[in-house]
Amino acid sequence: MLLLRNLKPFFRRKSHYSFGILSRATTLPGEITSEFHEICCRRTFWSSTSSCNEMIGLSSSNSRNPFFFHNVAEFCTLLGQEKADELLDNAAATSGSDRGKEAKYTTREMVDFTQIHINKLPRVLIMGRPNVGKSALFNRLIRRREALVYNTPTDHVTRDIREGVAKLGNLRFKVLDSAGIEAEASSGSVLSRTAEMTGNVLSKTQLALLLVDARDGVLPMDLDVGKWLRKNAPGMKTIVVMNKAESLDDCDGTIASAAGEAYRLGFGDPIALSAETGLGMAELHETLRPLLEEYVLQNNLCADEEVQDNDSSSEDMDCKLPLQLAIVGRPNVGKSTLLNTILQEDRVLVGPEAGLTRDSIRAEFQYEGRTIYLVDTAGWLERTKQQEKGPASLSIMQSRKHLMRAHVIVLVLDAEEIANTRRSMKHVEVVIARRAVEEGRGLVVIVNKMDLLRGKENYKLYKSVTEAVPQEIQTVIPQVTGIPVVFVSALEGKSQIAVMNQVIETYEKWCLRLPTARLNRWLCKVMSRHSWKDQAAQPKIKYFTQVKARPPTFIAFMSGKTQLSDTDLRFLTRSLKEDFDLGGIPVRILQRTVEGNSRTSTSSKNKQSANRMMERVVSDKRTILAVENSSTT
């Protein structure tokens, strides 16, 4: 630990105390000298404004060796020797020309990454062998816990490519989390397919972060990953990151030994950090900044963004809101295949293995001018003792979270299993559908794998499935009538239009707003055709209005003490869905009681307030008179 104080000659302000972690320069035999330096202290120690300033200070222990602090993007960094010499020369020149002024060193941001469109940001891929902390670093960069993190040395938690926007100081870039790579995986296995998917994504990225475990050192599997990277992306700029370095210390030489092993990979100076605690993120920022700025300036992304802003200003500002779409269902029903079909690309890993998807993968795409966020969730399983712990429990929790966020939920069923069991929905699927209805979400049912029921021998079976499924769904979920059912085959790749048209139609119904005048005209017709048991005790609805959408919610203002019964509410709900075509979405009707004539109520209130005012005035006069009498006597 280093105690910094008495810096008045350099900062011209009151002395402060601040603690930080300061490492020394490490010289490796036969290798380039590498400086791993970082100091964590208060930002207000050297910066009184929001701008980034470079300051100079002297160590009290050794006044001959000055050290330099650099405030960049809210990080505290110890500058290198070359930068320190440059600042000393500038300070000497400035003091010689103008001694009365204080030397100031400011850093100018070359690129403002916040002004670049999200689809044009540079892409950085996190890769390495399994269980080195790739998902933890991904969560640290995007500042959210999106990727599943679980310590499983013998298993692979991450299997798909997850994408997010990283916020590292003033840097903005797209970061991709990949599955662990094993070069010796057998062909056709899950690991070989994940490696192939990582190779396809690697060709579309600009930088790669190769993670190794600093505690274990460089293992033969890490060397294999390095060879695999050189083979699949020869010209890729790669940065070696030694993760899990919070337990290493420079005093006993553990960081030096770990860095010496990392040089065996042949990708230059490594960076030591801890994705769990955030240690070393300033060094990562300083390493990534010149590379990302060079890419942005070479591709002239800032200029393209300005032209895009000028074009967008002339367009109509009434844009459509993004649609949150979640694909849910039991394992091995074709959810991931359906997502690839909708996106028209191999976005997630598919295969015959059940439970292949663990992470909920979120993808963004455009459909008919509308932005849609599509989420592929892990398969829902019935709760067992084995699933109370481990990655399976985390997957189920993540699927439930995305179900709560979605606007429209696509429930996928297996046509072959329906034909074999003579039953449309199992208990888990009924639970999913009812939960979607209770949360007020739009519901679309997709019956997948219909290609397995085609042919002359399966004609009757195919027809019976198409007729029985909608009826059975309506029986199981009576709260919502008219739930749309689409019969597709995601493997053939021809079901995108049918599925998305039904999803868009359900979403537009979910966002529908009806004017009050139209609703009251409809109410008069509906109340006249309803058969009441007792005309004298018939509830009287003063007026009917919609108070919110998403889902449509209505309020019936009742005059009198008689309320609508459950039968009457079901009748109004069914009539609303039939007359305004609101099938497939939940409709809510609330009741409010309105008091009697408003004129009489207001006049009575005015009389009561007037009487209260008279009483107050009289009491005041009495008190005044009493005071006067007492004074005269």
Side-chain angles (χ1 to χ4, degrees):
M1 305 297 294
L2 181 65
L3 178 63
L4 307 176
R5 65 176 182 177
N6 297 332
L7 302 181
K8 280 186 178 180
F10 297 94
F11 297 107
R12 297 184 182 275
R13 59 188 298 181
K14 186 182 294 185
S15 61
H16 293 273
Y17 293 88
S18 182
F19 291 92
I21 301 173
L22 185 64
S23 63
R24 304 171 183 173
T26 303
T27 304
L28 301 176
E31 300 290 345
I32 304 174
T33 301
S34 173
E35 293 183 4
F36 173 74
H37 43 264
E38 180 178 0
I39 179 168
C40 303
C41 55
R42 295 181 303 173
R43 182 184 178 188
T44 56
F45 178 74
W46 58 76
S47 178
S48 59
T49 61
S50 60
S51 61
C52 300
N53 298 324
E54 295 176 358
M55 299 297 182
I56 306 176
L58 292 178
S59 173
S60 59
S61 62
N62 187 5
S63 60
R64 296 181 180 180
N65 297 327
F67 56 86
F68 296 81
F69 295 100
H70 190 194
N71 181 9
V72 177
E74 304 181 6
F75 288 110
C76 314
T77 308
L78 186 67
L79 298 181
Q81 186 64 32
E82 296 180 358
K83 186 66 176 178
D85 296 338
E86 181 182 354
L87 291 178
L88 280 176
D89 297 339
N90 294 336
T94 305
S95 61
S97 61
D98 189 4
R99 297 180 180 179
K101 297 182 180 180
E102 180 182 1
K104 296 182 180 180
Y105 302 92
T106 59
T107 59
R108 180 178 60 88
E109 296 182 6
M110 298 178 60
V111 177
D112 187 3
F113 288 88
T114 59
Q115 301 299 324
I116 303 176
H117 193 271
I118 187 174
N119 294 328
K120 296 183 179 180
L121 290 173
R123 297 160 64 93
V124 178
L125 178 65
I126 303 175
M127 57 182 303
R129 63 177 176 86
N131 202 32
V132 293
K134 299 183 295 298
S135 298
L137 181 58
F138 176 84
N139 291 339
R140 171 68 62 177
L141 290 174
I142 67 173
R143 302 181 183 180
R144 293 190 311 273
R145 293 185 178 180
E146 291 290 339
L148 294 181
V149 178
Y150 197 82
N151 187 12
T152 54
T154 59
D155 197 2
H156 302 268
V157 178
T158 304
R159 293 175 177 174
D160 295 298
I161 303 295
R162 178 183 286 275
E163 184 176 338
V165 178
K167 298 177 182 179
L168 184 61
N170 56 359
L171 299 181
R172 298 292 184 273
F173 55 92
K174 281 192 174 183
V175 59
L176 292 88
D177 182 22
S178 63
I181 297 176
E182 292 187 7
E184 298 181 357
S186 59
S187 61
S189 62
V190 176
L191 296 178
S192 65
R193 282 179 282 167
T194 55
E196 183 180 357
M197 183 177 295
T198 304
N200 296 333
V201 176
L202 191 62
S203 61
K204 302 178 184 178
T205 57
Q206 286 73 43
L207 295 173
L209 299 180
L210 180 57
L211 265 66
V212 296
D213 194 337
R215 300 174 300 182
D216 300 337
V218 178
L219 302 180
M221 191 178 297
D222 295 321
L223 298 176
D224 294 338
V225 173
K227 295 178 182 178
W228 181 91
L229 181 59
R230 288 190 180 91
K231 178 180 178 182
N232 290 270
M236 177 66 63
K237 176 60 179 178
T238 305
I239 301 173
V240 179
V241 176
M242 299 186 300
N243 193 20
K244 306 179 183 180
E246 66 275 6
S247 60
L248 304 183
D249 191 5
D250 193 22
C251 297
D252 56 2
T254 53
I255 290 183
S257 60
E261 292 186 7
Y263 276 102
R264 296 169 54 193
L265 295 171
F267 292 107
D269 298 339
I271 300 174
L273 55 81
S274 172
E276 184 177 358
T277 62
L279 178 68
M281 300 305 293
E283 186 73 14
L284 180 62
H285 173 274
E286 288 301 301
T287 305
L288 289 176
R289 186 180 65 171
L291 300 175
L292 297 178
E293 287 180 348
E294 181 182 1
Y295 170 78
V296 172
L297 294 177
Q298 286 181 356
N299 293 272
N300 201 15
L301 299 181
C302 295
D304 294 341
E305 182 62 24
E306 292 178 358
V307 174
Q308 183 177 358
D309 290 340
N310 294 332
D311 294 337
S312 61
S313 62
S314 61
E315 295 178 356
D316 188 13
M317 300 301 294
D318 189 13
C319 59
K320 300 178 182 179
L321 295 176
L323 190 157
Q324 304 284 345
L325 178 62
I327 302 177
V328 297
R330 293 185 299 103
N332 205 23
V333 295
K335 300 184 299 297
S336 300
T337 307
L338 181 62
L339 183 137
N340 290 339
T341 301
I342 294 176
L343 297 179
Q344 297 294 312
E345 62 175 334
D346 295 335
R347 178 65 177 81
V348 294
L349 187 67
V350 296
E353 298 87 359
L356 192 60
T357 303
R358 285 185 173 175
D359 266 322
S360 295
I361 305 302
R362 189 168 183 257
E364 177 186 356
F365 72 104
Q366 298 289 329
Y367 184 79
E368 296 182 355
R370 185 191 300 270
T371 302
I372 299 177
Y373 295 102
L374 182 59
V375 180
D376 178 26
T377 61
W380 285 52
L381 297 172
E382 295 182 1
R383 188 181 298 272
T384 59
K385 294 183 179 180
Q386 297 179 356
Q387 296 170 1
E388 292 180 357
K389 298 181 181 180
S393 62
L394 299 178
S395 300
I396 295 175
M397 292 175 59
Q398 197 176 54
S399 300
R400 292 176 179 175
K401 180 180 67 174
H402 284 285
L403 185 142
M404 299 286 290
R405 294 178 179 177
H407 299 156
V408 179
I409 296 173
V410 173
L411 178 59
V412 184
L413 307 179
D414 191 344
E416 185 180 16
E417 190 171 355
I418 293 174
N420 296 332
T421 59
R422 304 291 180 176
R423 183 181 178 184
S424 299
M425 302 176 67
K426 291 189 175 182
H427 176 70
V428 177
E429 296 163 340
V430 174
V431 170
I432 296 173
R434 290 181 177 175
R435 179 167 296 182
V437 172
E438 292 174 358
E439 295 297 332
R441 308 300 184 224
L443 181 62
V444 177
V445 177
I446 304 295
V447 182
N448 194 21
K449 303 182 183 181
M450 291 299 294
D451 55 323
L452 301 178
L453 302 181
R454 293 175 184 172
K456 296 181 179 180
E457 63 279 3
N458 296 327
Y459 175 75
K460 294 183 179 180
L461 192 60
Y462 182 92
K463 187 177 180 180
S464 62
V465 169
T466 55
E467 293 178 355
V469 170
Q471 298 177 2
E472 188 172 349
I473 290 176
Q474 189 59 55
T475 304
V476 175
I477 312 173
Q479 299 91 340
V480 179
T481 59
I483 297 177
V485 181
V486 184
F487 300 90
V488 299
S489 174
L491 188 61
E492 296 179 351
K494 300 178 181 179
S495 55
Q496 179 194 23
I497 298 177
V499 173
M500 290 309 303
N501 287 343
Q502 191 60 63
V503 168
I504 295 297
E505 182 180 353
T506 304
Y507 178 72
E508 291 177 352
K509 294 178 183 179
W510 192 63
C511 301
L512 180 64
R513 284 188 176 273
L514 298 173
T516 304
R518 184 181 177 186
L519 286 173
N520 285 278
R521 289 194 299 267
W522 164 84
L523 182 64
C524 295
K525 297 179 182 179
V526 170
M527 297 295 287
S528 62
R529 70 173 183 241
H530 184 51
S531 58
W532 304 95
K533 295 182 179 179
D534 188 1
Q535 295 295 333
Q538 176 182 349
K540 296 180 181 179
I541 303 177
K542 192 170 185 179
Y543 63 96
F544 196 78
T545 185
Q546 182 178 1
V547 293
K548 67 179 291 291
R550 305 159 66 95
T553 304
F554 303 88
I555 290 183
F557 289 90
M558 310 298 298
S559 59
K561 298 182 180 180
T562 307
Q563 298 290 321
L564 293 172
S565 62
D566 295 339
T567 305
D568 300 335
L569 290 176
R570 286 194 297 268
F571 168 74
L572 291 177
T573 303
R574 185 174 64 254
S575 300
L576 269 173
K577 293 183 177 181
E578 292 177 356
D579 296 341
F580 295 104
D581 192 15
L582 298 178
I585 60 173
V587 175
R588 298 170 178 174
I589 299 179
L590 307 177
Q591 299 185 60
R592 294 289 186 273
T593 302
V594 181
E595 296 180 357
N597 192 358
S598 59
R599 294 182 180 178
T600 58
S601 60
T602 53
S603 61
S604 62
K605 290 181 181 179
N606 293 333
K607 289 181 181 180
Q608 293 177 0
S609 61
N611 294 333
R612 291 175 182 174
M613 292 296 293
M614 289 296 293
E615 291 177 359
R616 291 177 183 175
V617 173
V618 171
S619 62
D620 294 340
K621 288 182 179 180
R622 287 178 180 176
T623 54
I624 293 172
L625 290 175
V627 171
E628 289 179 355
N629 293 332
S630 62
S631 61
T632 54
T633 56

